[in-house]
Amino acid sequence: MKHLTVDVAIIGAGSAGMSAYRAARAHTDKVVVIESGHYGTTCARVGCMPSKLLIAAADAAHAVDGAHRFGVLAAPAAIDGQAVMRRVRGERDRFVGFVVDAVQGWPDEHRLVGHARFLSPHELEVGGHTVVTAGRIVIATGSSPAVPAGWREALGERLIVNDDVFAWDDLPESVAVAGPGVIGLELSMALARLGVRVRLFGRSSRVGPLTDPVVAAKARAIVESTVATSLDVERIEPVRDGDRVRLRWLEDGTRHEEEFDFLLAATGRTPNVKGLDLQRAGIEVDAFGIPHADRHTRRIGKSHIFIAGDAADEQALLHEAADEGRIAGDNAGRYPDTIVRPRRTPLTVVFSDPQIAIAGESHAQLLQRGADFASGGASFDDQGRSRVMGRNLGQVQVYGERGTGRFLGAEMIGPDAEHIGHLLSWSAQHGLTVQQMLDSPFYHPVVEEGLRTALRALKEKLALPQPPLADCLDCVAAPVV
């Protein structure tokens, strides 16, 4: 058994772990990053990037199929599944290559391969070959797809998770998708547009992360018009039938049955902390075995251990993981001094079509904290630029604080939500009022004019005093479609 002593040990070389490594090295060169799997982040290998490659192919097919609406006559899109997946895998491998090259560029003594587990608060056993003694430790082990009990045993290779999709050589004929969250929504809509027969299953009426009842209802209607759905299923019973999956489910009191090539379990992700033997680390964990850290320091209690990224089971988003890794690595490097770091305004984007965005505080979060707020909304169904592009589907709801007029957040489904979401999150982070947002430029004709309609409706709901005309650029603006 080898022995290694370092100032900082980082478990995991994903987005959070890589950021932690760079931050810790600003304070000490006695750092080691421990990784038990392949180098290459979840985002690059099986998450953000390959899923967007599949969605890009689906968008191209959808554009061809809808060209006739503009007087452009074309045959229906012919999908070459092998070519689609060849590009997805090729570009995915390119993105993974950048990550692998970055890690391989680190000094050899900073990389250690093997599964890590705690022996004591300061000791880690790695791969049965090395004991690492570390002054501080950063847990950045990521997460893995969660699969309902019994499904894998019943279905074998006919049960897949999102990781498996990007290993396909060709597109299948049919896929059942369990879970209408972000992953299930993106993949089910993309596969359906690429000619795969898809049925999306859920246990409630919600689709994606939306919490505003107006936006959520609109989103459900849009999804149901695009993909075959069963979103109020009481129970799903999957069984193996040769090379097929036979699904039986109960919906509205009626039993249904259908066969598919695969069942894709998009039923959430679980933090990879189970095999760390955290009970030996001297830190507290919750009922699920997950330690919780201060959001602004990433320190677990008063210990020398920090946690970042998906392992913390907070916001499983790359930019959040990178920020958390940077905070954790910096504080681990400078320990026992720790710095309280600001956090960015929350921003979530779902690359469905139309896209979904939540910027700032969600409707549910505002209700939970008892905020005194009002909301204003607008539909994109008749919005000028959206109709011009033939992408006129969606709804936006914006929230403002009564009394101050401060903008608090928004939820939306609609065209270009990925871009509008950024504008809204920036506005929330900088503490703008609804009036200040309305006084900002809105070009014509643009999709953002739909947002302005919602902000005007919110301003009326807030019943704020009308500012002097000289100070209010929007007060005399003519309505624009």
Side-chain angles (χ1 to χ4, degrees):
M1 186 76 71
K2 297 179 181 178
H3 292 267
L4 177 66
T5 300
V6 297
D7 290 331
V8 179
I10 300 166
I11 311 174
S15 298
M18 292 178 71
S19 291
Y21 170 76
R22 288 189 290 267
R25 279 200 73 185
H27 303 282
T28 176
D29 202 45
K30 296 181 67 177
V31 181
V32 67
V33 178
I34 304 163
E35 175 58 60
S36 62
H38 298 290
Y39 291 131
T41 63
T42 295
C43 173
R45 190 177 293 279
V46 295
C48 320
M49 303 313 292
S51 65
K52 303 312 166 284
L53 286 161
L54 192 69
I55 289 167
D59 289 345
H62 184 63
V64 173
D65 287 337
H68 66 278
R69 295 176 297 163
F70 303 95
V72 179
L73 304 182
I79 310 299
D80 183 339
Q82 292 184 348
V84 168
M85 296 311 301
R86 191 160 51 246
R87 180 176 187 268
V88 168
R89 295 194 314 275
E91 288 295 308
R92 182 273 312 273
D93 292 346
R94 178 173 172 270
F95 290 121
V96 171
F98 294 146
V99 179
V100 173
D101 289 346
V103 176
Q104 296 288 11
W106 299 346
D108 290 346
E109 62 270 22
H110 289 181
R111 290 181 277 120
L112 187 60
V113 176
H115 175 77
R117 65 185 185 91
F118 280 89
L119 297 177
S120 71
H122 285 278
E123 290 181 303
L124 299 167
E125 180 193 288
V126 180
H129 53 72
T130 304
V131 172
V132 176
T133 302
R136 291 84 71 191
I137 297 170
V138 177
I139 300 170
T141 46
S143 63
S144 300
V147 177
W151 283 17
R152 195 172 297 282
E153 293 78 7
L155 301 180
E157 75 277 7
R158 295 290 111 182
L159 175 73
I160 59 173
V161 294
N162 62 294
D163 303 30
D164 302 315
V165 170
F166 308 116
W168 283 343
D169 293 322
D170 199 353
L171 293 170
E173 185 275 329
S174 60
V175 175
V177 180
V182 174
I183 295 172
L185 200 56
E186 289 185 350
L187 291 182
S188 62
M189 295 185 80
L191 291 172
R193 286 186 167 176
L194 289 168
V196 178
R197 177 170 59 84
V198 174
R199 179 169 288 276
L200 176 62
F201 291 89
R203 299 292 296 273
S204 71
S205 60
R206 284 184 58 181
V207 294
L210 295 166
T211 68
D212 188 295
V214 177
V215 186
K218 184 68 174 182
R220 174 165 178 158
I222 292 172
V223 172
E224 288 179 331
S225 69
T226 306
V227 181
T229 59
S230 294
L231 295 177
D232 294 298
V233 173
E234 298 176 37
R235 185 175 65 255
I236 301 177
E237 298 175 357
V239 295
R240 180 75 176 262
D241 189 358
D243 289 333
R244 307 276 284 174
V245 175
R246 185 183 298 277
L247 286 185
R248 302 185 183 98
W249 70 95
L250 190 63
E251 185 178 7
D252 296 329
T254 304
R255 294 189 177 277
H256 301 267
E257 186 174 296
E258 194 171 350
E259 286 189 352
F260 301 90
D261 290 328
F262 296 99
L263 171 57
L264 169 60
T267 45
R269 297 182 68 87
T270 302
N272 294 330
V273 297
K274 191 174 182 180
L276 293 177
D277 288 351
L278 290 176
Q279 70 275 9
R280 299 178 180 177
I283 55 176
E284 291 186 7
V285 297
D286 64 17
F288 300 98
I290 301 168
H292 291 287
D294 183 277
R295 175 171 165 78
H296 299 280
T297 65
R298 304 315 308 165
R299 185 182 180 188
I300 301 173
K302 296 182 178 180
S303 74
H304 59 282
I305 301 174
F306 302 78
I307 189 167
D310 290 8
D313 198 28
E314 294 176 17
Q315 288 185 293
L317 301 168
L318 180 138
H319 67 277
E320 294 286 354
D323 284 351
E324 290 179 4
R326 193 176 304 113
I327 294 169
D330 178 63
N331 279 329
R334 67 172 66 248
Y335 185 86
D337 296 327
T338 56
I339 292 180
V340 175
R341 298 289 187 182
R343 298 299 300 270
R344 303 178 208 265
T345 293
L347 173 62
T348 297
V349 176
V350 182
F351 293 86
S352 51
D353 190 7
Q355 295 175 343
I356 291 171
I358 301 178
E361 291 184 273
S362 69
H363 187 267
Q365 288 170 331
L366 290 169
L367 291 177
Q368 186 175 21
R369 74 172 176 87
D372 186 10
F373 73 101
S375 63
S379 170
F380 287 96
D381 294 4
D382 235 4
Q383 198 273 323
R385 180 64 188 279
S386 301
R387 285 192 66 86
V388 167
M389 298 185 295
R391 298 167 57 204
N392 51 311
L393 283 175
Q395 177 74 31
V396 59
Q397 294 291 120
V398 290
Y399 319 118
E401 186 175 55
R402 295 188 188 276
T404 66
R406 185 168 61 92
F407 175 70
L408 298 175
E411 297 193 27
M412 72 171 289
I413 180 170
D416 298 332
E418 61 178 297
H419 305 301
I420 295 175
H422 278 82
L423 296 178
L424 292 170
S425 65
W426 296 347
S427 298
Q429 180 156 318
H430 290 287
L432 296 185
T433 65
V434 173
Q435 186 63 62
Q436 287 173 323
M437 295 170 72
L438 283 168
D439 288 343
S440 300
F442 286 85
Y443 203 78
H444 175 72
V446 293
V447 174
E448 284 79 2
E449 288 175 299
L451 170 61
R452 181 173 61 183
T453 300
L455 289 170
R456 285 174 170 166
L458 174 57
K459 177 183 173 181
E460 289 186 16
K461 294 281 188 65
L462 290 172
L464 298 174
Q466 186 78 347
L469 290 180
D471 298 327
C472 177
L473 296 174
D474 190 65
C475 289
V476 292
V480 179
V481 174

Coordinates of all heavy atoms in Angstrom, one line a residue, residues 146-156 159 236-240 263 265:
A146 N -30.9 7.7 -11.7 CA -31.7 6.9 -10.7 C -32.7 6.0 -11.5 O -33.4 6.5 -12.4 CB -32.4 7.8 -9.7
V147 N -32.7 4.7 -11.2 CA -33.6 3.8 -11.9 C -34.6 3.2 -10.8 O -34.1 2.7 -9.8 CB -32.8 2.7 -12.6 CG1 -33.7 1.6 -13.2 CG2 -31.9 3.3 -13.6
P148 N -35.9 3.1 -11.1 CA -36.8 2.5 -10.1 C -36.4 1.1 -9.8 O -35.9 0.3 -10.7 CB -38.1 2.6 -10.9 CG -38.0 3.8 -11.8 CD -36.6 3.8 -12.2
A149 N -36.7 0.7 -8.6 CA -36.3 -0.7 -8.2 C -37.0 -1.8 -9.0 O -38.2 -1.7 -9.3 CB -36.8 -0.9 -6.7
G150 N -36.2 -2.7 -9.4 CA -36.8 -3.9 -10.2 C -36.8 -3.7 -11.7 O -36.9 -4.7 -12.4
W151 N -36.6 -2.5 -12.2 CA -36.7 -2.3 -13.6 C -35.5 -2.9 -14.3 O -35.7 -3.6 -15.4 CB -36.8 -0.8 -14.0 CG -38.2 -0.2 -13.8 CD1 -39.2 -0.8 -13.0 CD2 -38.7 1.0 -14.3 NE1 -40.3 0.0 -13.0 CE2 -40.0 1.1 -13.8 CE3 -38.1 2.0 -15.0 CZ2 -40.8 2.2 -14.1 CZ3 -38.9 3.1 -15.4 CH2 -40.2 3.2 -14.9
R152 N -34.3 -2.7 -13.8 CA -33.1 -3.2 -14.5 C -33.1 -4.8 -14.5 O -32.8 -5.4 -15.5 CB -31.9 -2.7 -13.8 CG -30.6 -2.9 -14.6 CD -29.4 -2.2 -14.0 NE -29.6 -0.8 -13.9 CZ -29.4 0.1 -14.9 NH1 -29.1 -0.4 -16.1 NH2 -29.5 1.4 -14.7
E153 N -33.6 -5.4 -13.4 CA -33.6 -6.8 -13.3 C -34.7 -7.4 -14.3 O -34.5 -8.4 -14.9 CB -34.0 -7.3 -11.9 CG -32.9 -7.0 -10.9 CD -32.9 -5.6 -10.4 OE1 -33.8 -4.8 -10.8 OE2 -32.0 -5.2 -9.7
A154 N -35.8 -6.7 -14.5 CA -36.8 -7.1 -15.4 C -36.5 -7.0 -16.8 O -36.9 -7.8 -17.7 CB -38.1 -6.4 -15.0
L155 N -35.8 -5.9 -17.2 CA -35.6 -5.5 -18.6 C -34.2 -5.7 -19.2 O -34.1 -5.8 -20.4 CB -36.0 -4.1 -18.8 CG -37.5 -3.7 -18.4 CD1 -37.7 -2.2 -18.6 CD2 -38.5 -4.6 -19.1
G156 N -33.2 -5.9 -18.3 CA -31.9 -6.0 -18.8 C -31.4 -4.9 -19.7 O -31.6 -3.7 -19.4
L159 N -33.6 -1.8 -20.8 CA -33.8 -0.6 -20.0 C -32.5 0.3 -20.2 O -31.4 -0.2 -20.1 CB -33.9 -0.9 -18.5 CG -33.9 0.3 -17.6 CD1 -35.2 1.0 -17.7 CD2 -33.6 -0.1 -16.2
I236 N -46.8 2.0 -13.6 CA -46.2 1.5 -14.8 C -45.6 0.1 -14.5 O -44.9 -0.1 -13.5 CB -45.1 2.4 -15.4 CG1 -45.6 3.8 -15.7 CG2 -44.5 1.7 -16.6 CD1 -44.6 4.7 -16.2
E237 N -46.0 -0.9 -15.3 CA -45.5 -2.3 -15.1 C -44.7 -2.7 -16.4 O -45.3 -3.0 -17.4 CB -46.6 -3.2 -14.9 CG -47.4 -2.9 -13.6 CD -48.6 -3.8 -13.4 OE1 -48.8 -4.7 -14.4 OE2 -49.3 -3.7 -12.4
P238 N -43.4 -2.6 -16.4 CA -42.6 -3.0 -17.5 C -42.2 -4.4 -17.5 O -41.8 -4.9 -16.4 CB -41.4 -2.1 -17.5 CG -41.2 -1.8 -16.0 CD -42.5 -1.9 -15.4
V239 N -42.3 -5.2 -18.6 CA -41.9 -6.6 -18.6 C -41.1 -6.8 -19.9 O -41.4 -6.1 -20.9 CB -43.1 -7.5 -18.5 CG1 -43.8 -7.4 -17.2 CG2 -44.1 -7.3 -19.7
R240 N -40.2 -7.7 -19.9 CA -39.4 -8.1 -21.0 C -40.2 -9.0 -21.9 O -40.8 -10.0 -21.4 CB -38.1 -8.7 -20.6 CG -37.1 -9.1 -21.7 CD -36.4 -8.0 -22.3 NE -35.5 -8.4 -23.3 CZ -34.2 -8.5 -23.1 NH1 -33.7 -8.2 -21.9 NH2 -33.4 -8.9 -24.1
L263 N -37.1 1.1 -22.9 CA -37.6 2.0 -21.9 C -36.5 2.9 -21.3 O -35.5 2.4 -20.8 CB -38.3 1.2 -20.7 CG -38.7 2.0 -19.5 CD1 -39.7 3.1 -19.9 CD2 -39.3 1.1 -18.4
A265 N -35.3 5.4 -18.7 CA -35.6 5.8 -17.4 C -35.0 7.2 -17.2 O -33.7 7.3 -17.0 CB -35.1 4.9 -16.3

